[in-house]
Amino acid sequence: MDTKAGWCLLFCLALSRAARTEPQATERQWRAVDVILDCFLVMEGGHQRAFASSGNREKALLVLKQVPVLDDGSLEGFTDFQNGAVDKDDQPVIFEASVDLVQIPQAEDLLHADCNGKEMTCEISRYFLQVRQEATVEKAAWFIINVQISRGGPSVSMVMKTLGDGENGAVWQPMLNLPQSLQGTVRTAVEFQVTTLTQSLNFLLGSSASLHCGFSMAPSLDLISVEWRLQYKGSGQLVYSWMTGQGQAKRQGATLKPEELLMAGDASLTLPSLSLKDEGTYICQITTSQYQAQQIIQLNIQENVPPYGLHSGGLLKPPFLGIPLRKKLQPPLPTLILNRNKKASGSSSGPSWTPLESYSSLFPQLPPKFD
């Protein structure tokens, strides 16, 4: 069993014991812990905004140092990361990242993902700056981390910069050609992060939707712009933009709160009176004076529909709640179903047609058809 797997097993056992004690919410206190993530390091090319689709990938370990997390009692006996316990024969690249300059609001989700039965994907790749830096600053290297948690979990993107361990004859990391600490880690500092609480949302037609997007940045950075874009079937459009204190809505009624944006790093977008054309993939892009990162949220528009049955005039209704409106429903039967009843023998009149009260015996499991 490797170090990460053993650490996770011990932590999940502690979490299980703590859950049985059921501490009150008032008893929870903040505690700084090391959050350890199994990642892949992309060795070719730079990817600023998404997971790499190609290129060599190597195993990597990301250690977010001393992240504040609310302790529910499960962190008793929790120990910080010790690199000496890692198998030297199969040691991955280890990034040791300080989070002193930013907030990591989804740290608890990252810490408990394995114990909650959720799958976490973490990828690290080189990040290339948008603007040219001074020569002294360019000695550093930058990386972007993309973390996604399955089953309705959050997505987090972080930009980190290497710290100056190249002085005093430090050992160099052979794979990255970067200086590493005496403990064998590449020391970095997270300077920017963008997150969303969930990566997919379902809303009813006509309702209002709030698409979460939050960020945190180092004090040395300035917020330049916020953009929300919508993509659907290869076409894209600007929904809302904010730049230097001015907001502009391209979609009628779209809003974000400037005070929350500047004070709390909340760039969430509100869309009232949802219609079919609002469905698609939304991209929240945050640009600072040095970095740029984004989050992607899928918005699905659905409609409440009563179950199948014959109503006035024998009209058919679809059999389930929440039909995706992008799919065109084709009724499998005509709108009006009639039953042919012949008159008794000897009657002079012809056959008569009356509405069929129930068609379940004729069509017991009739599904809807889609294009």
Side-chain angles (χ1 to χ4, degrees):
M1 180 181 297
D2 58 27
T3 302
K4 175 62 167 58
W7 171 87
C8 180
L9 177 60
L10 291 174
F11 175 71
C12 291
L13 289 174
L15 182 63
S16 177
R17 290 194 299 267
R20 290 194 294 267
T21 62
E22 298 182 355
Q24 298 297 322
T26 55
E27 298 176 4
R28 297 179 55 152
Q29 297 180 351
W30 289 99
R31 177 177 172 181
V33 299
D34 290 349
V35 178
I36 305 171
L37 306 179
D38 279 321
C39 303
F40 284 102
L41 173 65
V42 179
M43 299 304 298
E44 295 180 3
H47 304 268
Q48 296 181 16
R49 306 175 181 86
F51 286 92
S53 58
S54 62
N56 295 331
R57 302 202 306 173
E58 300 288 342
K59 289 183 178 180
L61 208 60
L62 175 64
V63 183
L64 300 175
K65 296 293 292 183
Q66 299 298 287
V67 183
V69 175
L70 275 175
D71 185 6
D72 58 1
S74 62
L75 300 179
E76 183 179 356
F78 187 86
T79 58
D80 292 332
F81 175 75
Q82 299 294 330
N83 189 24
V86 177
D87 186 357
K88 298 297 182 182
D89 296 331
D90 191 28
Q91 178 168 319
V93 179
I94 303 175
F95 291 91
E96 184 179 346
S98 166
V99 295
D100 294 339
L101 299 177
V102 298
Q103 296 178 349
I104 310 293
Q106 309 308 321
E108 192 169 353
D109 294 285
L110 300 178
L111 189 64
H112 296 292
D114 289 336
C115 299
N116 291 337
K118 297 184 178 182
E119 181 181 350
M120 180 165 55
T121 305
C122 173
E123 187 174 276
I124 305 173
S125 55
R126 287 274 191 164
Y127 181 90
F128 299 97
L129 298 178
Q130 301 298 305
V131 295
R132 182 174 177 82
Q133 301 297 301
E134 299 295 333
T136 55
V137 178
E138 286 183 346
K139 293 180 180 178
W142 288 263
F143 294 86
I144 186 165
I145 311 152
N146 291 304
V147 182
Q148 293 181 350
I149 299 178
S150 66
R151 294 171 51 193
S155 175
V156 184
S157 295
M158 296 174 279
V159 179
M160 60 183 181
K161 181 179 76 173
T162 58
L163 302 178
D165 284 327
E167 307 296 334
N168 303 323
V171 178
W172 288 71
Q173 211 289 329
M175 190 178 298
L176 297 173
N177 195 28
L178 291 173
Q180 62 183 14
S181 66
L182 297 177
Q183 291 74 34
T185 64
V186 177
R187 296 177 61 245
T188 65
V190 178
E191 296 193 336
F192 181 50
Q193 68 86 6
V194 179
T195 184
T196 185
L197 292 174
T198 184
Q199 303 160 57
S200 180
L201 295 169
N202 300 306
F203 281 92
L204 294 176
L205 181 69
S207 64
S208 296
S210 178
L211 281 59
H212 176 262
C213 182
F215 67 94
S216 178
M217 59 187 183
S220 60
L221 300 176
D222 296 319
L223 179 62
I224 301 299
S225 67
V226 175
E227 280 191 355
W228 277 94
R229 292 186 172 273
L230 169 62
Q231 289 186 344
Y232 183 76
K233 290 187 176 180
S235 63
Q237 64 187 55
L238 183 64
V239 177
Y240 191 95
S241 65
W242 179 95
M243 182 177 294
T244 62
Q246 298 295 324
Q248 184 177 16
K250 295 296 184 178
R251 189 272 199 195
Q252 184 177 6
T255 59
L256 60 79
K257 298 179 180 179
E259 62 277 10
E260 296 293 328
L261 177 70
L262 299 175
M263 300 298 296
D266 187 353
S268 299
L269 179 72
T270 299
L271 300 173
S273 304
L274 292 175
S275 65
L276 175 60
K277 63 182 179 181
D278 291 315
E279 186 174 74
T281 301
Y282 285 79
I283 301 172
C284 170
Q285 181 173 283
I286 310 293
T287 302
T288 71
S289 50
Q290 189 169 351
Y291 306 125
Q292 185 181 84
Q294 68 181 27
Q295 287 298 328
I296 298 175
I297 304 170
Q298 178 65 37
L299 177 62
N300 303 308
I301 309 299
Q302 299 180 334
E303 182 182 24
N304 269 325
V305 183
Y308 257 118
L310 292 178
H311 300 279
S312 59
L315 294 178
L316 296 180
K317 297 297 181 180
F320 53 91
L321 172 68
I323 292 180
L325 295 184
R326 292 284 185 183
K327 297 182 178 179
K328 181 181 178 181
L329 182 66
Q330 296 180 345
L333 290 177
T335 356
L336 185 61
I337 298 179
L338 299 176
N339 185 23
R340 187 170 184 244
N341 295 314
K342 290 185 177 181
K343 293 290 184 177
S345 177
S347 173
S348 59
S349 60
S352 64
W353 298 86
T354 57
L356 181 66
E357 297 297 332
S358 173
Y359 65 99
S360 58
S361 60
L362 298 177
F363 307 100
Q365 300 291 332
L366 193 60
K369 298 180 181 179
F370 298 98
D371 290 337

